[in-house]
Amino acid sequence: MKRHRRSSARRTSPSRPTGHDWGDWVVTREPAASAPGERTRTCRNDASHVERERIPAGGEAGTGDEDDKDIVYTFTKGDGSKWTKGSEKDLPFTVSRNTADSTTFSRFTGILVDDKSVDPSSYAADPGSLNVSLRPDFLETLSVGEHTITAVFDDGRADAGFTIVKKTSGSSSSTKKRSSGSSSGTRSSSGNSGSGGKKGPMTGDTAPVAMWAAIAAAAAAGIGILVFLRRKTKHV
């Protein structure tokens, strides 16, 4: 009896039936100094058969192991966030791995901001995927505007953006100024009446008083004329 040999092909590697005619390797993702790349080749006889191979940092051909294929790191928290100058709060981020996420923290090697390495004292890193928090002292050194944060791992990297916002004056200060200006205007208007800046008591409309005073004066003048005429008549 003939013994059937068990296939030694890797579980994730494309099948290689007789008649495959593999084309040249094509680099689909260039490797970086601290991140791997990838290259592929396609069967000339059947374009649906594609083989992928990892290119580790340094540019040398990888082994094509299952755990090194199609690894993607993603910022699941913090991408697009904002931090205001003068704030005492950290700026938190979370990075997850699309496969074997429990190994994310152990593969973490560092943080870059605007492609510049950040000292470990300027951020906190904890497991649970990967939780990273940029500290306020470091954030204060960044200019107002948009920035990029990069989480680097021994087998990949992930990028996200965040914005530093200029501190604005508080609304309570503006309210205080408006309130002060209003009370000052009230004092000024009240100081125009009365002696010594004090407002005298209101006694009603002054127009009728003036009118009655004029009438009284006219009446008194009339009485005076009558008395004068009577005296003159007696002496005649």
Side-chain angles (χ1 to χ4, degrees):
M1 293 180 64
K2 293 184 179 179
R3 293 185 178 181
H4 295 281
R5 290 188 177 182
R6 191 174 181 179
S7 175
S8 60
R10 295 184 180 276
R11 180 165 52 87
T12 58
S13 298
S15 58
R16 299 183 181 181
T18 303
H20 271 178
D21 183 10
W22 295 105
D24 296 332
W25 286 104
V26 176
V27 176
T28 56
R29 184 173 68 243
E30 292 287 348
S34 56
E38 182 185 73
R39 66 179 185 174
T40 62
R41 63 178 180 175
T42 305
C43 178
R44 294 188 180 94
N45 296 332
D46 187 349
S48 65
H49 290 211
V50 179
E51 187 174 40
R52 292 180 172 82
E53 186 175 83
R54 174 179 180 266
I55 305 175
E60 296 179 0
T63 61
D65 289 345
E66 178 182 352
D67 290 341
D68 293 334
K69 290 185 176 181
D70 300 323
I71 296 170
V72 178
Y73 289 95
T74 306
F75 274 84
T76 57
K77 176 182 177 181
D79 188 17
S81 58
K82 296 181 179 180
W83 188 86
T84 303
K85 287 278 190 178
S87 173
E88 297 180 355
K89 296 181 179 180
D90 291 0
L91 185 59
F93 299 89
T94 298
V95 185
S96 299
R97 194 174 191 262
N98 68 325
T99 179
D101 190 36
S102 60
T103 66
T104 301
F105 182 74
S106 63
R107 293 179 178 275
F108 174 63
T109 60
I111 289 292
L112 305 177
V113 170
D114 300 333
D115 293 326
K116 295 180 181 179
S117 180
V118 179
D119 190 277
S121 63
S122 296
Y123 62 85
D126 300 294
S129 293
L130 170 68
N131 295 311
V132 175
S133 295
L134 297 178
R135 301 189 189 280
D137 290 346
F138 169 74
L139 293 168
E140 283 289 354
T141 66
L142 301 178
S143 61
V144 172
E146 297 181 353
H147 298 271
T148 301
I149 180 173
T150 303
V152 183
F153 304 86
D154 60 11
D155 60 349
R157 58 193 286 162
D159 298 313
F162 66 96
T163 304
I164 301 295
V165 181
K166 183 178 180 180
K167 183 178 180 180
T168 57
S169 58
S171 58
S172 60
S173 176
S174 299
T175 303
K176 185 177 180 181
K177 288 182 179 180
R178 289 195 297 270
S179 175
S180 174
S182 176
S183 61
S184 175
T186 302
R187 288 194 300 271
S188 176
S189 62
S190 62
N192 291 332
S193 62
S195 176
K198 295 182 180 180
K199 186 176 181 180
M202 296 298 292
T203 58
D205 195 348
T206 59
V209 175
M211 182 182 68
W212 288 112
I215 293 173
I223 293 172
I225 292 172
L226 290 174
V227 172
F228 173 76
L229 291 175
R230 283 183 180 183
R231 287 178 179 179
K232 184 175 181 181
T233 302
K234 287 180 180 183
H235 288 287
V236 172

